[in-house]
Amino acid sequence: MNKIKKLILIDGNALMHRAYHALPPLTTKKGEVVNAVYGFTSVLLKVIKELKPDYMICAFDVAGGTFRDKIYSEYKAGRKKPDQEFYDQIPKIKEVVGVLNIPIIEKKGFEADDIIGTLSKQANYELRITIVTGDLDALQLVDKNTKVYTLRKGIKDTVIYDEEAVKKRYGLSPEQIIDFKGLRGDPSDNIPGVKGIGEKGASELLKNFGSIEKLYKAIEEGKTEEMIKPKIKEKLIAQKEEALMSKELATIKCDMNIKLDLDDCIWGNYDKGKLNSLFKELEFYSLINRVNEANNMNKELETVDQENKKRAKHIILDTDEKFNKFLKELKKQKIFAFQTRSSDDDAKQRDLTGMVFMWKTSPIYYMSLVLNDNKPNLFNTSECRTNEAMSRLYKIIKPILEDENYKKIGYFFKRDIEVLCNHGIDINGLDFDIMLASYLLDPGKRDYSLDKIIFDYLGHMNSVELKNEKLQIGSTQENGANNEKELQIGSTQENGANNEKELQTEDTKKDNNTTTQQHNNIIYFFELYRILKEKLKKEEMNNLFYKMEMPLIKVLVKMEMNGVILDTQLLKVLSGDLSNKIFKLEEKIHTLSGDNNFNIKSSQQLSQVLFGKMKLPTNNIKKTQSGYSTAAPELEKLKESHIIVSFISEYKEFVKLKNTYVDALPKLISKKTTKLHTTFNQTVTATGRLSSSKPNLQNIPIRTEVGRKIRKAFIAKVSKKLVSADYSQIELRVIAMVADDKKMKEIFNKGLDIHVATAAEVNQVPVEEVTSQMRRSAKALNFGVIYGMGIYGFARSAGIERDKAKEFIENYMKKFSGVAQYIEKSKEDARKIGYAETIWGRRRYLPELNSSNAMVKNMAERMAINMPIQGTAADIMKIAMLKVDKWVDEYNNKNENAIEILLQVHDELLFSIKEDNISEATKEIKEIMENCHLNLDGKEIDFSVPIVVDLKMGDNWEEMTNILTY
């Protein structure tokens, strides 16, 4: 028996409306809003993957009205017209449909529903039909061969209606849906129905009488006396014309003059190149692979040029002859590309399992360092101390890796350096990190995976398919940066973490037969090197790349390898204390809410209790798909409404700190070193700041009691002290400089408390009369200016009324006119040139400044204000780290490793220093860090305000005392 084929009919208009309203604004680098396009495409691919169609057609409405408007002039009247941003996306949605080679059908005077109705009836006896829509009008078309696939909430919650599902929801058959709408009406389309008859009433009438016509016939024949209440009967009689008209309006036309041609709508025959280009333009990187998955195909990999094709093979260095030939050629190279392969996710415990090499005219050389069960491997790690062949890595390859005259190209060098460090190899000559270059050129991206960079700059999907008798392509993706998250919209991830997925090789036999795609991606390194290097030069970022970011890699590796010591016993005690506090808070919350069963950790259940059961005010509270939000900012708005809110906030904070730090930190201690080793990320924040992960030390609160106790668990080695060198109010000093604000510069140059002095200026009182509240408000605004804080945000932050906040801001801008001018100028300059930049030329591109969406535009304006300040402060810290690291190396050569740089958190560097060396070392550290105002060519930059570093020392990170240097 032949398989019954499947036809998908898509209501384009209904789907794009649902997508547009379901998703927040999503913009491309050009500032183009594409949330409707993304949502539409995402649903489309979900449908294709789940339903596996043989044929597809997409129908759209045509502007200019339909035959229904002639029946009823108020049809769809009152419906809110979408913003222009919705209409601007329609051509792109149609372009997506076109590139997927799905036929588009539209006809003037008719709606997409009518086209779908007509086509579904023509195909009814040949195919299984599924109608994809965001509108339940289509339920009337459901029959034994036709189903409706629709969206319940958002774009992910979907439901399929067959005859049974329609009956279950409405108690009616699909063909009765038009009668149902005739009686009940449809407010969304302004179909009047019979006023006074609701959903339940309409359903009951139709269960009894079958249809509107039969209902009125029964009324006329007097056969409804016991079945319809008198008042309902009166309404039905009075509004008979409206009922019949409403049914006509709700009825989908199924006899249009169009013809279904299945040969024109076969699914799957689309141009992959055009699809890739369009998705690249729209920045829908996460959707590209989903198309091939949806089409039930293996990933089709793009081919490279003919020259690369010839070289697209591996040579396994598993014989003396192959190795000697490889080595002879390697020694001739002035520059080559390489990557390491390793065995463990933990950088501090990784074993080197292999290396990949390539240069401009070579094939890919793969050197495995794992034991082969079938024959002795030339590079056997289990015998690395005795095996003469393994010693080649140390005697022959190591000198080349450590020789700075051999320039190296790589991707995510930090990972390679860490692995090689574990084997006593100190690599030099690091010339070009592809991931870092890509990050500098576009720091606002969420994904710097190698596949993504290759696609961005070369247009190839997941690299080239390489065939080799021993090596097959696998699908494991190593990632040096954030994996793209769908619709991470409306926020800048400043403290995010890299998600590293490392290749784990079990043995040579397996390694010789399967390898990751990244083995093959090395073939693109030289082409990426050429393109990215040219772009860095064109954008005047060579100094930033070569003199700041590239040298910083090895500094970060040292810090990560140094690690810190944790007092696990203290954390264990703290964990028990928190458990008790959490339990008591849980009891209080349950008692106050009158509900002992709900899960406080469930945002949905908590929302139902607070806003449903307890009826707390919902004014200005954000609403999510599952109800009113219970996120921390929303709870803050409710803190005055009921005491339970404070307990919930405290409960949430304790649970978060316990799970994220108190219980998690001991588990992250390396078994090999017995220390905690965080990971510093160079390519996460858009401003250039470093972030950390595993664990994220940036987010340990320093103003709460629990946060301080967590910091107390970071302890010094025996005979050493922890020393903190913290830039004092660095961002405010930077804004004083870049804004050239005379008043602010004067305050800093006199060494005054900036917040007290600001409060005195704004409130027009002497310094000695400044109250703690005045200083608190001034501090909130001083820092708020950096983040583009508005009146509402300032009022909440300072704890004052909005009118007072407005007055305070106005006075502030008058007194600090340079800052006021900087705010406007930074927005205008960024709008003109398309980016904001630091003193050292670090850029953040802001195409959203030209967006017609107010929310998106305002966010970009805040970034334009903030980035030059935060970014310049980040650059100062990086220069300081480079200079301090160089001095520490020189100092340690003479003083038996007296100093280690452990951490960089916010504006602070944390050191471990021998007690006898503290006085001498701290003077030098302070001197170096306070004099980091040289540009990258060695010319001095006039900061016009002093850069100040505060020094503290102690046995742990929390309990520290000031160090005075003279």
Side-chain angles (χ1 to χ4, degrees), residues 850-909:
N850 298 311
S851 174
S852 56
N853 182 285
M855 185 176 79
V856 172
K857 183 178 178 180
N858 290 340
M859 187 177 298
E861 287 181 344
R862 290 194 293 274
M863 291 173 186
I865 298 165
N866 165 257
M867 191 275 172
I869 302 163
Q870 262 207 353
T872 295
D875 290 343
I876 290 171
M877 175 56 82
K878 287 180 176 179
I879 293 170
M881 292 171 72
L882 292 170
K883 289 190 170 188
V884 169
D885 175 71
K886 184 179 179 182
W887 173 81
V888 166
D889 281 349
E890 294 169 356
Y891 188 85
N892 281 340
N893 287 335
K894 302 172 186 175
N895 294 277
E896 298 181 352
N897 297 318
I899 306 173
E900 290 178 319
I901 310 177
L902 304 182
L903 300 175
Q904 190 279 309
V905 179
H906 300 303
D907 302 319
E908 175 186 13
L909 279 178

Side-chain angles (χ1 to χ4, degrees), residues 2 9 29 40 47 104 111 161 262 315 326 351 404 516 533 603 619 662 674 700 782 790 802 804 905:
N2 291 333
L9 298 171
K29 284 184 237 176
F40 179 97
V47 166
I104 292 174
E111 295 181 47
Y161 284 97
L262 292 178
I315 293 179
F326 155 75
D351 282 327
E404 63 180 17
T516 64
K533 191 170 185 177
S603 56
N619 296 340
V662 179
T674 68
I700 299 176
N782 274 330
R802 290 189 67 177
K804 184 70 176 174
V905 179

Side-chain angles (χ1 to χ4, degrees), residues 446-492:
R446 304 181 190 98
D447 183 5
Y448 297 96
S449 64
L450 188 49
D451 280 343
K452 173 72 162 47
I453 295 169
I454 291 168
F455 182 76
D456 280 351
Y457 290 100
L458 303 178
H460 300 307
M461 273 290 295
N462 292 313
S463 297
V464 60
E465 182 174 356
L466 302 176
K467 294 183 179 178
N468 182 276
E469 65 212 43
K470 293 184 178 179
L471 291 170
Q472 305 293 323
I473 295 175
S475 59
T476 305
Q477 179 177 322
E478 283 193 33
N479 232 341
N482 283 355
N483 291 333
E484 183 176 348
K485 296 178 182 175
E486 289 186 9
L487 295 172
Q488 190 176 5
I489 306 164
S491 65
T492 304

